Structures are given as C-alpha cells and as structure tokens.
Amino acid sequence: GTQGNPDLTIERVKEWEIGADYRFFRNKLSLGVTYYDRITEDVILDLDVPSSTGFNTKPSNAAEITNKGLEVDMNWNVISAGDFSWDINGFYSFNDNVVTDLAGVQSVFLAGFTGTSSRVVEGEAIGALWGAGYLRNDAGDIVTDSDGFPVLDPIEKVLGDPNPDWIGGLGTTLRFKGFSLSAQFETSQGNDHWAGTSG
C-alpha cells in the first residue's frame, strides 16, 4: 500500500547548543546547564495519496520541526564522613517542539483510534491529539442532544498537546559501608492525555 518515491532525500538536523558545568565547595556541589536550538529539515512522513494511484501512502520529505529547550541538573554531596555519605540530586528540563512546515498538508496521521489520533499538524507540537471535540454554544457550554448526551463537533481539530511543558525530579542516596538506599521522585507537568474509557 506504500508508493515508492525516487525523490526522497535524507533528513537533516541543524543544532547549536551552549552549556556550562559548575563545581563548588571542592566538588561537593555540581550544577550543569544546557540550552539547545535544533531544526530538523526534510522530515520523512507517509502522506496520503489518491486511491486512484493504487496506493494508500507515499513517503515524502514533508515537514520541518524545531526543538528549543533547557536542561538543568544538580548533585549535592550533603554529608561524606567515613563510611557514610548522603547525596541529593535534581533535574529540570523543558522542550518546546513545533512543526513549522508541513508542505501544505492539513495533518498527517501517526497513530491512534477512531475518533482520536496522534498527528503531525503545522503550528503544533508533533504528536498533537486530533479528533472531534464536543460542540459548544456561543457561551462555551457543551451542546447536548434530547437525551442529555454531548454532541460531537463535525469539524475535527487539535484537542491537546501530549508533550509536557516541563519535567523534573528530585532524588537522594544514602550509603553506608557496602550498602546504599536510593529514592527518586519525578514529575511531568502540562501534558494532555486522552482518556478513552472516560470518553
């Protein structure tokens, strides 16, 4: 079902990054900071083709995607005395991902189910949640039918962004002689989820 494309070229990534590593108090406290700006050109996607061609899709250099982000990590050796030590570590990062060009195509299907899918959409983050939302009136309230059930909007659109606004974590490690005990807490904030069962 996939048509060949003799004009296909390689994807190209252009990136610059700047960062610094800091050490304090005889290396008891370390801090790393990195900022990056990446452009991926000629991203290969399977675009739909007319059924009259005898195929369903054709791989094409169809997108340009930008990624800009910041990464920060820290480690602190709080106590180091004889056979005992205590360390605390943490990290924070965010990545701003945007599809800046999609060769005039409205959206490209990546994965999903009937009604809601993950797609590539120009102006949105890659993997944007796409589907039919609930129809709303001018006041913003959900329109219901005569039985009280929500009415689906006939026009499909972007419903959310599954990518987090930021991720972070905090951890600790206790060591005594040949034994160690560690704990790590991580969080992902701001990403949208599609709850199929609830829907």
Side-chain angles (χ1 to χ4, degrees), residues 43-190:
V43 177
I44 299 172
L45 297 171
D46 286 332
L47 302 183
D48 293 335
V49 294
S51 56
S52 58
T53 62
F55 298 96
N56 300 320
T57 60
K58 178 181 181 179
S60 303
N61 298 104
E64 180 177 283
I65 301 171
T66 63
N67 286 278
K68 297 178 183 180
L70 178 71
E71 299 172 347
V72 180
D73 62 83
M74 174 274 298
N75 192 76
W76 179 25
N77 177 227
V78 183
I79 298 173
S80 184
D83 294 330
F84 178 76
S85 69
W86 175 29
D87 292 298
I88 294 176
N89 66 78
F91 73 92
Y92 166 86
S93 71
F94 76 84
N95 179 57
D96 184 20
N97 170 273
V98 180
V99 178
T100 54
D101 186 20
L102 198 53
V105 178
Q106 182 186 23
S107 71
V108 178
F109 176 86
L110 292 177
F113 306 92
T114 302
T116 305
S117 60
S118 176
R119 298 201 179 204
V120 182
V121 182
E122 187 171 333
E124 302 289 340
I126 195 161
L129 299 176
W130 175 275
Y134 292 134
L135 193 62
R136 295 179 182 270
N137 59 25
D138 293 337
D141 300 321
I142 295 174
V143 176
T144 57
D145 61 19
S146 58
D147 295 319
F149 290 103
V151 176
L152 289 178
D153 191 333
I155 301 174
E156 291 190 342
K157 58 187 175 186
V158 172
L159 301 176
D161 180 1
N163 302 288
D165 292 336
W166 63 273
I167 61 174
L170 188 64
T172 184
T173 302
L174 297 169
R175 295 183 181 87
F176 181 68
K177 294 190 174 180
F179 299 93
S180 66
L181 178 66
S182 298
Q184 187 77 30
F185 301 92
E186 295 184 4
T187 184
S188 173
Q189 297 293 319

Side-chain angles (χ1 to χ4, degrees), residues 2-8 55 57-59:
T2 302
Q3 182 180 9
N5 184 354
D7 299 321
L8 207 59
F55 298 96
T57 60
K58 178 181 181 179

